[in-house]
Amino acid sequence: LIKKPIPVSISMLAIAFSFRYFAMPRNDIAMFLNQLPAFFDVYLYGFALSYVFVYIEKNNIENSLQLWHRAIFTVMFILSIVAVSKLLHYQASSTIETLSINQLKTRFFFATAFSLSILFASMSFKFIIWIFSNKFIRFLSEISYNMYIWHQFLAVEMRMAFLNTEQLHADIGLQKAYTLLCWSVALIVAALCTYFIEKPCANAIKNKFLRSKE
């Protein structure tokens, strides 16, 4: 991506759009909804943002912004959050049958709006930056990938072990309690995996690599 950003970016976008276009007419769309090629444009935004933030930090751009710059970026941040909210509302208003298709249709636009919100927030007023970069948010960012990996598996396993599906669908209070349980357990498991497995293993591999170069 660094050496050939335009060809790689175009290729990733083409794969993502082609894969989702292929997936949408299928009856077994759930099988294709969250496959890697369907997220290539989302990953592309992640790669691009990482380079942009490194560039901003190296050139001390955030600290050189004036008050009116921050005001403009704050307004743009709010507008991008409104766009994210509208897209989420559009998805949530879908029927069960059309929910997956609408997720595929809006994924690129959602990724665009969300990525812009992150970028604009980083150059907004200081209190907005603090909201998204305090200790708790940094903790969540560290465990986020393990959270992503484990949350659905844990939710399904706990539902099968403890709950009756029909009762869960009919009881709003039970749904809220189940949601809280899923979030709590997933956070704990993600934190344990991150700090007791992932980070120690990463440090061991890094140290072994550094020793091999001595």
Side-chain angles (χ1 to χ4, degrees):
L1 188 60
I2 297 176
K3 294 181 178 179
K4 297 183 179 180
I6 294 178
V8 172
S9 298
I10 292 174
S11 299
M12 293 183 73
L13 288 171
I15 291 171
F17 277 90
S18 299
F19 188 88
R20 291 199 291 264
Y21 180 81
F22 164 77
M24 278 192 287
R26 301 180 66 89
N27 293 327
D28 53 346
I29 190 173
M31 173 65 186
F32 296 87
L33 180 64
N34 294 320
Q35 296 296 325
L36 177 61
F39 281 96
F40 267 19
D41 48 350
V42 180
Y43 280 101
L44 177 62
Y45 273 119
F47 297 149
L49 279 176
S50 65
Y51 295 130
V52 170
F53 284 128
V54 169
Y55 178 84
I56 290 173
E57 184 176 357
K58 282 186 175 181
N59 293 275
N60 201 32
I61 292 176
E62 196 270 325
N63 292 325
S64 65
L65 294 174
Q66 298 181 23
L67 187 64
W68 67 273
H69 290 137
R70 294 189 183 279
I72 291 174
F73 282 119
T74 299
V75 172
M76 296 173 73
F77 164 70
I78 294 171
L79 292 175
S80 61
I81 288 296
V82 170
V84 169
S85 177
K86 293 290 186 182
L87 289 166
L88 288 174
H89 180 74
Y90 172 74
Q91 289 186 15
S93 63
S94 307
T95 64
I96 296 298
E97 291 75 18
T98 60
L99 179 61
S100 296
I101 292 177
N102 285 340
Q103 286 180 359
L104 292 179
K105 286 181 177 178
T106 60
R107 183 166 292 168
F108 172 76
F109 303 104
F110 183 85
T112 301
F114 194 79
S115 298
L116 289 174
S117 72
I118 296 172
L119 179 60
F120 295 148
S122 70
M123 293 182 285
S124 299
F125 290 122
K126 294 290 186 179
F127 75 92
I128 294 179
I129 295 175
W130 178 84
I131 291 172
F132 293 97
S133 65
N134 57 66
K135 289 183 179 180
F136 179 67
I137 296 299
R138 289 198 291 270
F139 161 73
L140 291 180
S141 70
E142 282 193 312
I143 69 169
S144 61
Y145 192 69
N146 277 309
M147 184 78 174
Y148 166 73
I149 291 174
W150 284 100
H151 79 280
Q152 187 171 8
F153 169 78
L154 292 170
V156 172
E157 291 299 315
M158 287 188 293
R159 180 184 59 79
M160 294 175 62
F162 306 126
L163 299 171
N164 177 279
T165 302
E166 293 183 2
Q167 183 183 5
L168 180 62
H169 286 170
D171 190 330
I172 298 297
L174 188 60
Q175 290 175 18
K176 292 180 179 179
Y178 171 66
T179 300
L180 179 61
L181 175 68
C182 290
W183 277 102
S184 301
V185 172
L187 280 169
I188 293 171
V189 171
L192 291 174
C193 289
T194 299
Y195 295 113
F196 291 97
I197 299 176
E198 179 184 318
K199 285 186 175 294
C201 289
N203 289 333
I205 294 171
K206 180 181 178 181
N207 292 334
K208 185 176 182 179
F209 175 76
L210 291 175
R211 285 195 300 268
S212 68
K213 296 187 69 174
E214 292 178 355

